[in-house]
Amino acid sequence: MVGDRYGASDGGDYDRGTVSAVTARVPAKVNLQLSVGPRRSDGYHDLVTVFHALALFDEVTVSPAEADSVSVTGEGAGSVPLDSGNLAARAVAALVEAVGPGVRDSPGVTIEIRKRIPVAAGLAGGSADAAGALVACNELWSAGLSSRELAEIAGQVGSDVGFALLGGTAIGLGRGELVTPALATGTYYWVLAFAAERLATPAVYAACDRLREARAASSGAPGDASGSPGVAGPPALNTRLMAALRSGDPAELGPLLSNDLQPAAISLLPGLRRALAAGGENGSLGAIVSGSGPTCAYLARDGKHARDLAVALTGTGVCRSVVTVTGPAPGASVISAPADGRPVSQP
Ligand code: C5P
């Protein structure tokens, strides 16, 4: 329990009967740096990462109902689980668990997810939906959880959910759930190339472990205690990348983008190598696999360059489709208030 003061009796004097629905908007992300440490005993990997939220949003609407349900429409909707495996449903369950069942003002809750973020694409779309469900239910039920309390619940739901709450540009530590805003200026213009295929995050981490083991075996290097040989010490934040973010200059940032999961993603989908090369051939400042992939992210000089790059990449036929997006984008935010006229609270 987070605390009794967030229980149902803390709902203020508004009439719960008039609250119909709350909608939250949540961003996709790319990792500007993704440094992966050895596999831990719990199966996760310690990370040093720089998250960057992108203006490509899912929307999550929650409303009181007789029974729990999840519905999904839009990009890749057919492959999102609708049962308790759904990350947004798990987030709501974790919130109820933390605050207490009295927080709900109805027997069930309807979660409607409108997807623009592709599924299993390395853009943390499922985590975004979980973050959206958290802020929306916090508002719907007037639960009054602070951003710190929401971040704590987010960390239990998934490694990227905390960042989806925060948005902007942020440093992630631990398994990614410990996030701190980073000093960054300016707007960055990106092209995202969506692949026809999907990659499951656990499979990409496992491939990363295998590649490291193979490399260590061939070089004769001894393994470490964690069972992940070939990892030279704990990962560290790239201070040059942080300086580039402070300068706001995309030409400085482009060559510093890095992702330890990229070789693993390429080993599973070799076509990604060609997709990344097409970025350089068409003038991108930097090209990288986003998170565990297979989406590729290309950094452009400005909006016009991004549009030109998108057209050029489409012409190469290396991907299913492309979009242009800017970053950083805000984290999960309530965009439509309850119908009872209460002001929207900011956690
Ligand atoms: O935390 P989340 O559920 O998003 O993680 C999905 C999977 O990705 C984990 O089960 C694990 O296999 C892998 N993972 C990892 N190390 C991390 C984050 C995720 O190994 N830091």
Side-chain angles (χ1 to χ4, degrees):
M1 296 268 289
V2 171
D4 287 333
R5 72 194 173 86
Y6 301 111
S9 62
D10 193 37
D13 56 5
Y14 80 95
D15 174 4
R16 284 175 184 272
T18 63
V19 176
S20 53
V22 175
T23 298
R25 196 181 75 155
V26 275
K29 63 87 191 159
V30 61
N31 303 74
L32 307 178
Q33 175 185 354
L34 180 48
S35 298
V36 178
R39 184 162 43 80
R40 312 190 312 201
S41 54
D42 64 0
Y44 283 91
H45 297 72
D46 273 322
L47 305 180
V48 173
T49 189
V50 179
F51 290 112
H52 183 70
L54 299 170
L56 174 70
F57 300 102
D58 281 359
E59 283 183 9
V60 182
T61 300
V62 295
S63 45
E66 280 307 309
D68 289 336
S69 70
V70 180
S71 66
V72 186
T73 54
E75 170 81 38
S79 52
V80 178
L82 302 179
D83 56 12
S84 57
N86 182 280
L87 225 48
R90 278 168 43 194
V92 173
L95 189 149
V96 171
E97 169 82 19
V99 181
V103 72
R104 296 167 71 126
D105 55 4
S106 59
V109 61
T110 296
I111 305 171
E112 295 169 77
I113 301 171
R114 284 174 297 287
K115 291 208 68 65
R116 288 187 62 213
I117 308 172
V119 176
L123 298 164
S127 302
D129 300 341
L134 282 180
V135 298
C137 282
N138 193 35
E139 185 67 30
L140 180 71
W141 296 329
S142 289
L145 295 184
S146 67
S147 39
R148 242 193 55 211
E149 288 162 331
L150 287 173
E152 205 180 301
I153 299 170
Q156 299 160 21
V157 179
S159 306
D160 292 337
V161 182
F163 174 69
L165 286 175
L166 184 65
T169 303
I171 297 163
L173 300 176
R175 57 184 170 84
E177 86 283 20
L178 307 172
V179 282
T180 323
L183 210 53
T185 55
T187 298
Y188 295 91
Y189 295 84
W190 298 90
V191 180
L192 299 179
F194 302 141
E197 305 87 351
R198 292 175 179 165
L199 284 175
T201 306
V204 180
Y205 274 98
C208 177
D209 290 339
R210 280 198 305 277
L211 288 177
R212 287 175 167 180
E213 279 158 25
R215 198 169 61 224
S218 69
S219 71
D224 64 27
S226 71
S228 286
V231 182
L237 191 63
N238 183 344
T239 52
R240 288 171 59 216
L241 180 110
M242 299 316 290
L245 284 169
R246 286 195 297 277
S247 80
D249 180 357
E252 264 188 54
L253 180 65
L256 297 171
L257 301 171
S258 72
N259 180 358
D260 282 359
L261 291 181
Q262 188 162 297
I266 291 172
S267 76
L268 297 171
L269 285 180
L272 291 177
R273 195 187 302 280
R274 172 83 201 94
L276 292 169
E281 288 155 18
N282 288 282
S284 87
L285 302 175
I288 197 167
V289 168
S290 180
S292 55
T295 302
C296 292
Y298 307 86
L299 186 59
R301 283 190 302 277
D302 51 31
K304 160 124 187 24
H305 184 213
R307 287 190 296 278
D308 292 346
L309 191 53
V311 171
L313 288 169
T314 304
T316 63
V318 293
C319 54
R320 169 170 66 88
S321 61
V322 301
V323 293
T324 58
V325 292
T326 57
S333 348
V334 171
I335 56 167
S336 92
D340 65 351
R342 277 183 299 138
V344 172
S345 60
Q346 289 304 324

